[in-house]
Amino acid sequence: MNNSDFTILIAEDEVDIAKFIKLGLSEEGYRCLVVKNGEDVFKVLEQNTVHIILLDWMMPKMKGIDVCKQLRHKKNTTPVIFLTAKDTVEDTIEGLRSGANDYIKKPFNFEELLARVETHLRLHYKIDEIIVLGDIQINISKHSVKKGDKKILLTDKEFNFLTHLIRHKGEVCTRQSIIENVWDIHFEYDTGILDVYMNAIRKKLKLEKNKLIKTVRGVGFIANDE
C-alpha cells in the first residue's frame, strides 16, 4: 500500500498547528482531513474512512479525551494519537487509559510525529515494512531478503548487518557503530568479524566488492544504490 491509500484526520483547533501538520503529512503523500472541534470528528467519521486520528486534547464543543472515550465506547478501533500541551505523568496515563494509542507532547518535532504515524499504521493495518538497496529488497516484517526475483537466505546476524547498512543508506557506518548496533557490544572489540560477515553477504547476494555496499578502508561500510 502507498501513503496515498491512507487518510489521516487532524482534530486541532489551533490553525497554525493544523496547517503545519497537514502540510507535512500531505508532502509524505497522505490524504488529510482537518476539523477544529471535537464534535466534528464524528461527522467526518460518518462520511469518510479514516485510518488514524491526530487528536488535540483541548478543543471546543468536546474535549479530545471525551472524543477518544466515546470512540472506544462505540467500538471504533481507529488508532488515536493525542497531541497536547498537557505534560504531566497523570495526563499521559489518563490519555492512554481513555483508549489512545499514543501521546505526543507539544511542541513536537514533525519527524517524530511522522515516525509515530508510520508505526501505528504499520501495526494496526499489518503493513509490511520494506527497505530497498538497488535490486535488493528487504521485508523487515517477514524477515526476508530478495535480489531481483530471487529469495536470498541470510543468517540473523547477516540480515541485521545488511538491514543496518540499508537503513543508513548514503552514510558511512563505522565499524564500532555496527558492532554496537548489530552485535550489541558496547566496548572496544575486534571488528575483524565484520569482514567475515560482509564477505558472506556479498557472496550470497553475488555482489562485486564495491557494488551497492562499499568498504571504506579503516572506517567501515557505506550502502548506496549504485
Side-chain angles (χ1 to χ4, degrees), residues 5-209:
D5 295 320
F6 296 102
T7 298
I8 298 176
L9 174 58
I10 303 164
E12 169 63 68
D13 65 318
E14 294 188 46
V15 176
D16 289 341
I17 293 178
K19 284 182 177 179
F20 166 71
I21 297 171
K22 181 178 180 181
L23 177 62
L25 291 174
S26 296
E27 288 179 348
E28 293 295 324
Y30 295 105
R31 176 174 179 254
C32 297
L33 303 173
V34 179
V35 296
K36 298 178 182 179
N37 66 75
E39 289 184 356
D40 284 348
V41 168
F42 299 98
K43 295 177 183 178
V44 169
L45 293 177
E46 287 176 1
Q47 301 175 10
N48 300 270
T49 297
V50 170
H51 299 92
I52 197 163
I53 302 171
L54 303 181
L55 187 61
D56 182 31
W57 187 304
M58 302 300 293
M59 287 189 297
K61 297 187 179 180
M62 182 182 289
K63 292 181 180 180
I65 191 81
D66 296 321
V67 171
C68 191
K69 288 178 180 178
Q70 191 165 325
L71 285 171
R72 298 313 185 222
H73 180 72
K74 293 175 176 289
K75 308 300 182 186
N76 185 310
T77 61
T78 304
V80 171
I81 299 177
F82 268 122
L83 306 177
T84 177
K86 296 173 74 67
D87 59 1
T88 68
V89 172
E90 291 76 17
D91 290 330
T92 303
I93 292 172
E94 183 182 2
L96 295 174
R97 284 180 173 170
S98 74
N101 300 79
D102 211 340
Y103 191 105
I104 300 181
K105 297 170 185 176
K106 298 177 181 176
F108 53 84
N109 179 282
F110 178 76
E111 292 302 321
E112 178 186 1
L113 173 63
L114 179 61
R116 302 277 187 104
V117 167
E118 292 171 344
T119 295
H120 287 292
L121 287 176
R122 186 166 62 249
L123 291 174
H124 192 80
Y125 300 102
K126 294 181 172 53
I127 305 166
D128 288 342
E129 181 184 2
I130 295 173
I131 58 177
V132 175
L133 176 68
D135 60 347
I136 300 169
Q137 185 179 92
I138 295 184
N139 188 316
I140 303 296
S141 310
K142 295 179 179 177
H143 206 273
S144 65
V145 181
K146 291 176 68 177
K147 188 170 189 291
D149 295 326
K150 184 179 180 181
K151 188 172 182 179
I152 307 296
L153 296 178
L154 300 181
T155 66
D156 285 346
K157 274 290 186 288
E158 290 166 352
F159 180 90
N160 293 336
F161 189 179
L162 181 60
T163 297
H164 180 76
L165 293 178
I166 296 178
R167 285 194 186 281
H168 295 84
K169 186 163 55 175
E171 305 172 17
V172 175
C173 296
T174 66
R175 288 174 171 270
Q176 191 59 38
S177 72
I178 295 167
I179 286 292
E180 291 178 357
N181 288 281
V182 178
W183 269 258
D184 198 26
I185 297 174
H186 299 276
F187 53 84
E188 288 299 320
Y189 185 84
D190 180 4
T191 62
I193 189 67
L194 299 182
D195 298 304
V196 176
Y197 277 89
M198 180 51 63
N199 288 336
I201 291 170
R202 284 176 172 145
K203 184 176 180 179
K204 290 181 179 181
L205 293 171
K206 296 183 179 179
L207 295 180
E208 298 174 18
K209 186 164 185 179

Side-chain angles (χ1 to χ4, degrees), residues 205-222:
L205 293 171
K206 296 183 179 179
L207 295 180
E208 298 174 18
K209 186 164 185 179
N210 282 322
K211 182 70 173 178
L212 297 182
I213 300 173
K214 180 179 180 180
T215 299
V216 182
R217 189 176 296 278
V219 181
F221 305 89
I222 182 170

